[in-house]
Amino acid sequence: MIGLDWLYALAGAMFAGYAALSLRDRRIGNAAFWGLLAASFLLGGRLGDFANGCLVLGLVALAGCGALRPPPPATTGPAEREASAARFGSRLFLPALVIPVTALAGTFLLKQIPLFDPRQVTLLSLGLGVLIAIAAAMAWLRPPALAPLEEGRRLMDSVGWAAVLPQMLAALGAVFALAGVGGVVGGLATRLIPEGNLFAAVAAYAIGMALFTMIMGNAFAAFPVMMAAIGLPILVHGFGGDPAPIAAIGMLAGFCGTLMTPMAANFNIVPAALLELKDRNAVIRAQIGTALPLLAANMLIIYFGAFR
Amino acid sequence: MTDWLVLSGILLVVVGFVLRLNPLLVVALAALATGLSAGLGPVALVSAFGKAFNDNRYVSVIWIVLPVIGLLERYGLQQRARALVAKLRGATVGRLLIGYLLIRQLSAALGLTSVAGQAQTVRPLVAPMAEAAAEQTHGALDDATRDRVRAFAAATDNVGLFFGEDIFLAIASILLIKGFLEQNGIVLAPLQLSVWAIPSAILAFLIHGGRLLLLDRRLRR
């Protein structure tokens, strides 16, 4: 069956290509970093947990001592790009649109084919879309054969170590869960609520959800903790609230937290790297003004919607 | 007391981010502190972290789109996106991003979350379009202003995604809520949950949209 392993092989081959290009250019730190990541994608399933852990320590060591160098200069200058944009026109958007269209169509079509793992069809279609887009762009634009790899490497180098931060934080979440961090935080939150005050309980629940999401970087990790500590025992069973809005909007209060934390790296830190912003926290700064009033609004929706 | 020690990792993360140490290093140290205070041995800890890192590889799979984006950028994709905006009369950063916010919220509400994103649409299309719109009203942008416009493009994608996706019935977060409540003896249909995402989605559109119009005002000065 075609499952995630195939996609991991594709990603692994890509990172191995970046490592080879870096090695050719004598950029040893970058070569080692992308090489380790290639090993994780190609062999991670067979390495065993401890070897995978050592691989991660290698990535951390390389990033920690600043071994990664900034990307090589662009292959075409602004003037060349303007001329090329004028020549090819809006058809340049087509290969980029192939990816979402394939992801969309594949999500529905691949499910019908038993060859593909039905739980992973969206990600698999995304991979398929990338391959089709590259093939189409190569046939049409006729760049040098290594161009997709060279250009991908340039963008990847501009993202740098931030590329694995989301995956690292997901792993940290697993260690937090193993150590029982959620239970301790939930107990702490319960102790802070004055007894019998509905508004204080709703506020503690919504703000707690946002704060714990900021710590974990992920509302999915915060939801079970806050729901078990405050939502179910106090709001639903204690005050007799409607569980549907309490749960659904509690999750959205968590999303407000996601907008305000560097721990949600794939949404907040990675874009800052992708867009080459000077301030790593610039995206968070742009989001706080939306997140805080929205958190207050969600609190009020729970208060008025769940306790009628 | 041992209870409180497991929170040491959280403290390390906060301090590390405030001091702007390398985040990968901070995360590794936080995992170390948390694991050790919970009584895990060094080998068990490295193994647990390695297993979790390996299990979460799908998070990093999105990077496979970069060769396509890079290839098209080489042939002027960003320049073309800017040229399109320059042709639109009355295009401002605020109006452009409000339009994108609406599209992102609606498509996410239909479950199409991976159609757009920071790597797929913001870097190659939305950010250069927003910059071009800003230049039309504001003239040439200094570095700080350009970064602010780009940051708002990224922020708009996040807000649209987060406050659209929960309206869709089969999204991961709705299924997580449904599963959690069922374990605790409360059975709800996904629709009963997802309708409650609609008021927040509308408010998110109004609040973020209002801030985008304020951004326009500030740029005009």
Side-chain angles (χ1 to χ4, degrees):
Chain A
M1 186 148 57
I2 296 183
L4 274 185
D5 282 348
W6 289 63
L7 201 58
Y8 290 164
L10 178 66
M14 181 188 80
F15 284 121
Y18 297 164
L21 288 181
S22 304
L23 203 59
R24 181 198 65 188
D25 299 342
R26 306 196 177 274
R27 297 154 63 88
I28 305 300
N30 300 54
F33 195 84
W34 304 129
L36 279 177
L37 205 53
S40 168
F41 273 97
L42 293 172
L43 308 167
R46 269 166 286 167
L47 276 180
D49 296 341
F50 185 70
N52 272 317
C54 294
L55 189 153
V56 177
L57 291 182
L59 291 172
V60 171
L62 287 167
C65 60
L68 271 83
R69 281 166 46 192
T75 41
T76 49
E80 244 176 293
R81 290 184 177 201
E82 288 290 353
S84 163
R87 187 174 142 218
F88 293 110
S90 290
R91 282 172 299 166
L92 275 172
F93 296 127
L94 291 178
L97 291 175
V98 164
I99 300 174
V101 169
T102 313
L104 181 60
T107 303
F108 296 109
L109 295 178
L110 296 189
K111 264 199 194 119
Q112 318 296 327
I113 308 172
L115 187 64
F116 296 93
D117 184 347
R119 286 164 306 164
Q120 308 296 353
V121 283
T122 303
L123 277 179
L124 289 174
S125 320
L126 185 83
L128 198 62
V130 166
L131 291 178
I132 296 174
I134 291 181
M138 293 298 280
W140 172 41
L141 301 165
R142 304 209 163 271
L146 276 179
L149 214 49
E150 295 267 15
E151 300 297 335
R153 195 258 307 223
R154 190 170 51 76
L155 291 185
M156 202 72 250
D157 273 346
S158 76
V159 175
W161 50 259
V164 293
L165 186 56
Q167 210 184 325
M168 286 286 286
L169 287 162
L172 178 63
V175 173
F176 276 2
L178 208 62
V181 170
V184 178
V185 171
L188 190 65
T190 326
R191 245 181 282 167
L192 292 175
I193 305 172
E195 214 166 313
N197 185 334
L198 175 61
F199 189 80
V202 170
Y205 170 71
I207 296 171
M209 193 75 86
L211 277 179
F212 198 45
T213 300
M214 290 175 72
I215 292 167
M216 302 297 284
N218 187 339
F220 290 13
F223 177 78
V225 174
M226 282 299 148
M227 200 62 192
I230 305 178
L232 279 178
I234 299 178
L235 296 182
V236 176
H237 298 310
F239 287 103
D242 179 356
I246 291 172
I249 299 166
M251 181 68 93
L252 295 173
F255 287 1
C256 294
T258 314
L259 292 174
M260 297 188 283
T261 176
M263 296 290 280
N266 43 346
F267 298 112
N268 298 334
I269 304 299
V270 163
L274 262 179
L275 298 174
E276 292 154 52
L277 306 183
K278 275 193 205 70
D279 177 4
R280 198 197 282 163
N281 294 317
V283 178
I284 297 174
R285 274 182 226 288
Q287 286 170 168
I288 288 177
T290 300
L292 286 179
L294 203 50
L295 177 59
N298 281 318
M299 207 155 74
L300 293 176
I301 298 175
I302 298 177
Y303 184 71
F304 290 109
F307 302 93
R308 277 171 299 180
Chain B
M1 191 58 210
T2 44
D3 271 10
W4 293 87
L5 270 178
V6 300
L7 299 184
S8 56
I10 294 176
L11 187 71
L12 267 176
V13 167
V14 174
V15 171
F17 275 114
V18 169
L19 293 180
R20 307 205 159 207
L21 300 176
N22 182 289
L24 292 192
L25 204 58
V26 173
V27 170
L29 290 175
L32 183 75
T34 307
L36 291 181
S37 57
L40 284 175
V43 175
L45 183 59
V46 171
S47 300
F49 201 77
K51 178 176 170 22
F53 185 81
N54 194 54
D55 288 345
N56 283 291
R57 281 180 296 174
Y58 67 92
V59 175
S60 304
V61 153
I62 190 63
W63 298 123
I64 60 174
V65 306
L66 289 191
V68 180
I69 305 298
L71 191 57
L72 295 174
E73 283 186 9
R74 176 188 181 124
Y75 288 93
L77 182 68
Q78 289 190 342
Q79 282 73 9
R80 183 63 201 168
R82 299 170 65 99
L84 271 187
V85 171
K87 271 193 254 169
L88 290 176
R89 277 175 181 275
T92 65
V93 183
R95 289 179 203 159
L96 185 89
L97 290 182
I98 287 174
Y100 183 69
L101 178 64
L102 188 66
I103 294 170
R104 187 71 162 126
Q105 278 193 300
L106 291 176
S107 56
L110 296 172
L112 307 175
T113 50
S114 49
V115 164
Q118 302 290 351
Q120 302 100 302
T121 45
V122 175
R123 150 111 197 185
L125 303 173
V126 182
M129 283 179 165
E131 268 179 57
E135 280 164 10
Q136 274 187 323
T137 48
H138 185 82
L141 304 177
D142 57 48
D143 282 355
T145 313
R146 194 179 52 239
D147 276 11
R148 182 140 184 89
V149 169
R150 287 183 184 178
F152 262 93
T156 302
D157 187 78
N158 285 336
V159 172
L161 172 66
F162 294 176
F163 296 94
E165 63 172 2
D166 266 22
I167 298 173
F168 186 60
L169 301 176
I171 207 76
S173 49
I174 292 288
L175 299 178
L176 174 82
I177 296 172
K178 183 175 147 51
F180 179 86
L181 290 177
E182 256 170 30
Q183 280 170 14
N184 290 281
I186 300 171
V187 180
L188 288 174
L191 184 66
Q192 286 173 288
L193 292 167
S194 63
V195 289
W196 281 104
I198 295 174
S200 299
I202 295 171
L203 284 170
F205 181 78
L206 293 177
I207 293 172
H208 195 69
R211 291 188 64 226
L212 289 169
L213 292 179
L214 281 181
L215 178 69
D216 267 353
R217 260 223 202 142
R218 226 174 304 143
L219 285 176
R220 228 170 282 144
R221 265 178 231 147

